[in-house]
Amino acid sequence: MTARLRSFAMLSAAAVSALTIGAAAHPASADADVNGQGVLAGSTTASYFWDDSSGRAGDTGLPAAGKPMQKGLAASPSWPLMTEGYVVYQGKKLPFFVGDRGPGDPSSRGVMLDLDAKTFAELTGGRFNPDTLGVDGVKGEGHIKIQYVVTKWGDGVGRKAAPVAFDTGAWRQQDTGTAPLSVKK
């Protein structure tokens, strides 16, 4: 292959990669590495929560994975617990791992990721309020449009594909069609 043809092939692959990662609807197959960036990429609306087991602000106790509430912990209505990845909002990129289930009802309206309040605050330029467990300084905004990239599927129950609403029950079903994959970040 000539140097010119190799350059064209590399340029074509880069263009396809940029289009795939920027895709908003249903991205590439969940069991395929998305051009070295992750195993699944897409976009959704995200909300925020903070469960500190205090009973304040409607929290329900420790997150489902048994890990304490912390920055980077997210809730998914369908992905396996301990799935890892990152979210991007207005050029800011932060890591997450699925440590809880949710959001519940909002997922039926397209809110498919519940970020911890500290990550939400950092993404939006707000600040986490430990007294209310909310995010101040974002003009009441509780939902943002984000891009997500899953870099590693968790081993537990859940659906290894584009997120689906909580009421589908995908969070309690073992996805046997896709082996857990991990890629370098």
Side-chain angles (χ1 to χ4, degrees), residues 47-76 82 95-101 113-121 128-130 133-135:
S47 54
Y48 72 86
F49 76 114
W50 192 267
D51 278 355
D52 69 352
S53 303
S54 69
R56 301 180 291 160
D59 68 10
T60 57
L62 282 177
K67 302 274 184 193
M69 194 68 211
Q70 58 192 283
K71 186 174 178 195
L73 191 147
S76 168
M82 304 312 294
F96 74 87
F97 71 94
V98 176
D100 207 1
R101 293 296 176 202
L113 199 58
D114 217 355
L115 301 171
D116 74 275
K118 291 181 180 181
T119 296
F120 190 93
F128 174 69
N129 184 328
L133 305 180
V135 178

Side-chain angles (χ1 to χ4, degrees), residues 2 13 18 57-58 84-85 113 155 178:
T2 68
E84 299 174 12
L113 199 58
D155 291 332
T178 307

